[in-house]
Amino acid sequence: EMWADMAGARRAIVEGSLLDKPSEKKARMRALAALHNMSAVSANGSAMWRDKAGARAALVAAARLNAPDDRKAKAYGLAGLQNLSRDEAESMWRDADGARMAVLRAALLSDPAELKARACAMFVMQNFARIPSIRTAIWEDAECSRAVVLKAASAGDLVEVEVRECGLLVLWHLVSEAVVAEKVWHDLGARFAIVGAALLEDPCSLRNRRCALRVLQEIASVTHLRAEIWADEGTKGAVLAAAMMANCSDKSLKESAYRILMVCSSENANKELMWQDAATRAAICSGLRVGGTALRRVRICAAGALQNLSSVPELKGPMWADAVARCALVAAARMPDPSDRVARTCALGALQNLSSSIGQETSSMWEDEGSREALLEAASLSDAADRKARVCALGALRNLAATAENKEHMWGDKDGARSIVMQAAMLSDKADRDVRDCALATLWNLARAPANARLMEKDVGGVRLVIGAASQLMEPEDHKARAYAQAAVQSLEGFTSNAVADS
């Protein structure tokens, strides 16, 4: 209401904020305090910024004050600009010689007595960085805005915790632009500031550590930087330290660490390095075992990382042979909570990858009670939300059925594998095509064993009816199902022909 009173309260406050005589400093400070209070009202922000010769000029002039006895007035001026920057950040940045320069100068203050003013300036910088159109410009301004941000992000004194957090948050916003992220990563000063903050252990610096991990997480989203990121020992150490924090009160810290592990594990150049590194391997497996709904995303990222690593042919044998990783995957593949569907699907995807190995592990996976039960449980899921998990489980069974040692055992498991695969092969919903395709491919693999073919030919379990019907499917989208079914029919016919010839 005071701002709306143009000829009365507003005029008096603005004029008071522009007083410049030494004897008027107290009045000026009080007027600036009132102007700051009005700027805190969102409805006033844009109008106050447009008042170029009045409110804006008063706040900018106050932000430029340097005398020690003007510190409070200066802080009010910067706090007012901070409030206005919530809605006017872009135009404030464009005001290069006015508001922007006042903010940049204040952000470089080093006197502890002016810490409040510096913090307000850094909050304005944070609002600048929220505007996508000026992020590159902020970083490219190496001598001013970039220097301001890096100085704040590197602040080491505990009394500067808030300033450092603002600096790191500015970087977080900037690196959301891929072009800027690459430049920030390759700037050694920026990397030193970010990694240094990510390694902070003081409880008072937990927020700074969280911000630094978020910056690294955003940089890691740039695909072509992931190999470099994991090759950097400082970054790797910071990520692993955060991932293995015990009793972490800030779940987002662990989430960021595991997100980085997951995306870095998707880079082919990193996969073998990550698995062969004992600390990395331990961190990933540990993340898959954490409990509680609050850490659901940690489990998802850990399972996703193992799924990524399991795609490397050379790692399949070692991963299956590793008891810790194997047990973690099997346990995750049997997670009953619906909120763990994504993690469960990733774990099943990893088991599916491991089951495609041509080594001994394909037969041992079926022989292993835990993995066998996990796959059969998932392969029998009927909820539409579990289709991906079911496809992964049936995909693993398809792979296991391709191994000679497994064929007779799997078909002989009448109430388990046989029943589950047959039920899946009979699905008719279009949304279940992938499930049905895997089931029919499994039947084809099983039919290639003479002992199984003999039983199937006698129509044990109705298999002839199922594959016969599938072989007649005509929709173009059913070409895989039709091909698998026809191959299974040919396997059975081939067995019959051979049996007749032998007789």
Side-chain angles (χ1 to χ4, degrees), residues 252-329:
S252 65
L253 187 70
K254 289 182 80 73
E255 285 178 5
S256 290
Y258 277 95
R259 177 70 181 175
I260 295 169
L261 285 170
M262 183 178 71
V263 297
C264 284
S265 69
S266 68
E267 170 58 45
N268 289 331
N270 292 340
K271 291 180 180 180
E272 291 193 52
L273 294 174
M274 294 181 76
W275 175 258
Q276 290 166 0
D277 182 71
T280 305
R281 192 166 64 243
I284 294 173
C285 292
S286 174
L288 201 50
R289 296 194 302 269
V290 297
T293 304
L295 295 176
R296 174 177 54 85
R297 289 194 180 116
V298 168
R299 293 191 291 276
I300 291 172
C301 292
L306 284 175
Q307 184 178 10
N308 288 335
L309 299 182
S310 67
S311 66
V312 180
E314 293 78 10
L315 295 182
K316 293 182 180 183
M319 287 187 72
W320 179 253
D322 187 285
V324 175
R326 184 173 68 250
C327 290
L329 281 174

Side-chain angles (χ1 to χ4, degrees), residues 303-369:
L306 284 175
Q307 184 178 10
N308 288 335
L309 299 182
S310 67
S311 66
V312 180
E314 293 78 10
L315 295 182
K316 293 182 180 183
M319 287 187 72
W320 179 253
D322 187 285
V324 175
R326 184 173 68 250
C327 290
L329 281 174
V330 170
R334 303 182 77 175
M335 288 177 178
D337 195 318
S339 67
D340 281 316
R341 276 192 173 107
V342 177
R344 182 180 192 179
T345 301
C346 288
L348 287 162
L351 290 175
Q352 180 183 359
N353 286 340
L354 296 181
S355 71
S356 66
S357 172
I358 58 174
Q360 185 179 356
E361 51 272 14
T362 54
S363 56
S364 62
M365 184 178 290
W366 176 256
E367 294 167 359
D368 180 75
E369 183 179 358

Side-chain angles (χ1 to χ4, degrees), residues 72-337:
K72 198 166 184 179
K74 182 174 188 170
Y76 279 131
L78 286 160
L81 289 175
Q82 177 189 338
N83 288 336
L84 299 188
S85 69
R86 289 178 304 194
D87 298 315
E88 298 294 335
E90 185 168 6
S91 55
M92 193 176 289
W93 170 262
R94 305 295 179 198
D95 184 22
D97 297 325
R100 188 210 300 183
M101 188 54 65
V103 168
L104 291 173
R105 286 176 178 172
L108 288 169
L109 293 170
S110 56
D111 190 329
E114 296 191 292
L115 188 60
K116 188 173 183 179
R118 186 183 180 192
C120 289
M122 285 308 304
F123 276 114
V124 177
M125 291 297 298
Q126 189 178 329
N127 287 334
F128 285 163
R130 285 193 171 100
I131 308 300
S133 61
I134 61 177
R135 286 171 184 158
T136 300
I138 292 172
W139 180 256
E140 294 296 339
D141 182 21
E143 294 184 2
C144 292
S145 57
R146 186 196 304 179
V148 162
V149 174
L150 295 186
K151 181 180 179 181
S154 304
D157 198 314
L158 283 178
V159 299
E160 298 178 299
V161 167
E162 188 176 44
V163 168
R164 189 173 196 177
E165 182 182 1
C166 285
L168 291 164
L169 285 171
V170 171
L171 286 173
W172 179 47
H173 288 300
L174 296 184
V175 297
S176 63
E177 303 292 328
V179 174
V180 180
E182 184 169 2
K183 293 177 179 180
V184 170
W185 172 253
H186 288 135
D187 184 288
L188 295 182
R191 192 187 305 182
F192 180 82
I194 297 164
V195 174
L199 287 166
L200 293 170
E201 296 183 350
D202 191 296
C204 296
S205 300
L206 184 61
R207 288 165 64 95
N208 288 342
R209 190 177 187 184
R210 177 182 63 189
C211 292
L213 264 294
R214 284 182 173 178
V215 176
L216 290 174
Q217 177 185 333
E218 200 66 47
I219 293 174
S221 68
V222 181
T223 305
H224 64 271
L225 293 179
R226 290 171 185 167
E228 292 181 42
I229 290 170
W230 198 251
D232 184 77
E233 290 297 325
T235 302
K236 181 170 75 172
V239 171
L240 293 179
M244 295 299 284
M245 280 183 69
N247 301 319
C248 180
S249 59
D250 191 337
K251 69 181 181 68
S252 65
L253 187 70
K254 289 182 80 73
E255 285 178 5
S256 290
Y258 277 95
R259 177 70 181 175
I260 295 169
L261 285 170
M262 183 178 71
V263 297
C264 284
S265 69
S266 68
E267 170 58 45
N268 289 331
N270 292 340
K271 291 180 180 180
E272 291 193 52
L273 294 174
M274 294 181 76
W275 175 258
Q276 290 166 0
D277 182 71
T280 305
R281 192 166 64 243
I284 294 173
C285 292
S286 174
L288 201 50
R289 296 194 302 269
V290 297
T293 304
L295 295 176
R296 174 177 54 85
R297 289 194 180 116
V298 168
R299 293 191 291 276
I300 291 172
C301 292
L306 284 175
Q307 184 178 10
N308 288 335
L309 299 182
S310 67
S311 66
V312 180
E314 293 78 10
L315 295 182
K316 293 182 180 183
M319 287 187 72
W320 179 253
D322 187 285
V324 175
R326 184 173 68 250
C327 290
L329 281 174
V330 170
R334 303 182 77 175
M335 288 177 178
D337 195 318

